[in-house]
Amino acid sequence: MIASDGVRNTLNFLLFQAGWLVCVLYPTLMAFGVAVALICLHLVLVSRERFSELQFIGLGTVAGAALDTLWLQTGVLHTDTGDLVVAPPWLVALWALFMTTLCHSLKWIGQKPWLPFVLAPIAGPFAYWSAGQLGAVTFTDLPLSLAALALGWGLLFPLLLKIRGFLYPELSHA
């Protein structure tokens, strides 16, 4: 594990960005494998509380994948995955990658109680819109989809931070 908080946070940010790019540019099972490898690298080099963080990543990944599944089933999002009734593996992997940032490079967002409610409804939909610009997802009705994404992120992101603080307080200080 790397000792410097700054280096660990920078590496966490870079691993997430690399994983996001691979998943969005190559939305296949291979991207899922790359994401798993990057998460393992994160746990070895960045995480100080591996077991707790892995539990938190799992919990948030399930919640995020459930939200993406809802969006796919209601037409907010579309992917080229055919008739899947759940979010495709590459989209689930994005949630797992994202969850690694909540204890490291994005931990600062939780330091102000109001900040997640302001940033999440903007940053979350922007990430999906960006993925759409790269061809990973499409939107039937862009304004309606962005509004639904903003609502979902505005609720889920602060909830994930509350869960982190309540169930995994050691991660708030990791």
Side-chain angles (χ1 to χ4, degrees), residues 109 114-130 145-155 157-158:
I109 294 174
W114 54 270
L115 198 52
F117 293 99
V118 173
L119 291 181
I122 297 167
F126 180 73
Y128 285 84
W129 177 83
S130 299
S145 293
L146 292 177
L149 291 165
L151 177 63
W153 273 84
L155 295 171
F157 186 76

Side-chain angles (χ1 to χ4, degrees), residues 65-79 81 84-88 91 137-138:
L67 189 57
D68 278 347
T69 296
L70 175 67
W71 287 332
L72 289 165
Q73 290 181 352
T74 59
V76 169
L77 288 178
H78 297 281
T79 65
T81 54
L84 280 180
V85 294
V86 296
L91 204 48
V137 296
T138 57

Side-chain angles (χ1 to χ4, degrees), residues 32-109:
F32 179 83
V34 169
V36 169
L38 292 173
I39 291 166
C40 289
L41 195 57
H42 163 84
L43 289 170
V44 169
L45 296 176
V46 177
S47 182
R48 286 188 176 158
E49 301 286 342
R50 290 182 184 103
F51 185 69
S52 294
E53 189 169 351
L54 191 56
Q55 289 177 2
F56 180 61
I57 290 168
L59 188 143
T61 300
V62 169
L67 189 57
D68 278 347
T69 296
L70 175 67
W71 287 332
L72 289 165
Q73 290 181 352
T74 59
V76 169
L77 288 178
H78 297 281
T79 65
D80 289 337
T81 54
D83 295 329
L84 280 180
V85 294
V86 296
W90 67 269
L91 204 48
V92 174
L94 282 175
W95 275 100
L97 287 162
F98 172 71
M99 290 303 297
T100 69
T101 66
L102 296 188
C103 300
H104 302 284
S105 60
L106 293 182
K107 183 168 65 173
W108 60 272
I109 294 174

